[in-house]
Amino acid sequence: MSTKLLTLLFAASLLLPLSAQDEDAFDVATDDTAAESTPAKKAADKKLDPKVAARLKKAEAAAKKLEKTKKMRAEKKVKWETNEKKAFKEAAKYNLPVWVLYTDPATCGICVKLDNEVLDTKEFKSAKGLFIGFRSAKPLPQYDCAAGKPMGVVLTPDKKRMNPNAGMAYVPGMAPAQYINMLRKYADRLQQEAEEKVNAELEAARAEAGVAE
């Protein structure tokens, strides 16, 4: 065997252990990196005070419920109830306003116009996610609907008036689309207020628990 070949073999034998050592060092470094906990994992692993954990759980449940309600209300068709209690219960379920209407087409010509020109039109009846209706042929003094027919008011599910400076009944020449747009604004406002409240409570609960979104 030549002297040159022996020299090359000797050099290779010296390099191999170094390469293996370097590879082991790389593997160790890689394993250490993988073992590190992320901030989210650390937050999940921490033991929270029971009251803090309960508040966080409640806030998260409320956020999920609101999201579910939002999907349901978007498909809720226009519906009129003659039972006051049931109307407000439905409104709370879907987070929708209640349109309270004192009307009696059997004894009121303008009430007939309201039905024919608005309420009974295909456009209005096919609208979704607007309101839950409560119709009464008897005066409703508790809602300021008693002086004449038709008279109406829009209320939140907990019976707070949403249109304090105006009624919501028949307006000559007002098209179904205009009624829909007006009622949509009330519904959207109610939804926005609910989302702001739930999001604020969720953000506060997460901050207290030290959990990032």
Side-chain angles (χ1 to χ4, degrees), residues 12 54 67 135 147 161 169-170 173 195:
E67 189 62 29
R135 293 177 64 133
R161 188 162 178 163
Y170 179 72
E195 288 179 352

Side-chain angles (χ1 to χ4, degrees), residues 92-204:
K93 178 181 177 181
Y94 292 95
N95 190 36
L96 284 170
V98 179
W99 185 6
V100 176
L101 193 60
Y102 168 38
T103 177
D104 183 15
T107 61
C108 166
I110 298 179
C111 298
V112 174
K113 285 179 174 291
L114 177 61
D115 280 1
N116 292 341
E117 297 175 19
V118 182
L119 305 185
D120 289 340
T121 63
K122 184 176 180 180
E123 181 181 5
F124 190 85
K125 292 171 73 173
S126 63
K128 297 179 180 180
L130 292 182
F131 68 97
I132 301 297
F134 168 50
R135 293 177 64 133
S136 173
K138 297 180 179 180
L140 300 167
Q142 69 272 36
Y143 302 125
D144 295 325
C145 296
K149 295 176 285 189
M151 291 188 74
V153 64
V154 180
L155 304 171
T156 64
D158 55 356
K159 300 184 180 182
K160 293 178 181 178
R161 188 162 178 163
M162 298 190 75
N163 57 336
N165 298 319
M168 183 72 182
Y170 179 72
V171 179
M174 189 166 168
Q178 291 174 288
Y179 278 89
I180 291 172
N181 290 338
M182 189 178 297
L183 289 161
R184 180 81 64 197
K185 289 179 180 179
Y186 290 127
D188 289 347
R189 191 173 91 197
L190 196 61
Q191 179 65 22
Q192 183 180 352
E193 290 173 354
E195 288 179 352
E196 288 175 353
K197 180 180 178 182
V198 167
N199 290 337
E201 291 174 350
L202 182 58
E203 185 177 344

Side-chain angles (χ1 to χ4, degrees), residues 51-124:
K51 291 183 179 180
V52 174
R55 280 193 290 271
L56 178 60
K57 185 177 181 180
K58 183 179 178 180
E60 289 178 338
K64 289 180 180 179
K65 182 180 179 180
L66 183 63
E67 189 62 29
K68 182 179 179 180
T69 301
K70 185 177 180 179
K71 293 178 181 179
M72 291 194 308
R73 78 199 296 271
E75 295 301 318
K76 183 65 176 174
K77 295 181 179 179
V78 170
K79 183 179 181 181
W80 289 96
E81 301 285 354
T82 54
N83 182 285
E84 180 180 0
K85 186 176 180 180
K86 187 175 180 180
F88 282 96
K89 185 177 180 179
E90 282 280 288
K93 178 181 177 181
Y94 292 95
N95 190 36
L96 284 170
V98 179
W99 185 6
V100 176
L101 193 60
Y102 168 38
T103 177
D104 183 15
T107 61
C108 166
I110 298 179
C111 298
V112 174
K113 285 179 174 291
L114 177 61
D115 280 1
N116 292 341
E117 297 175 19
V118 182
L119 305 185
D120 289 340
T121 63
K122 184 176 180 180
E123 181 181 5
F124 190 85

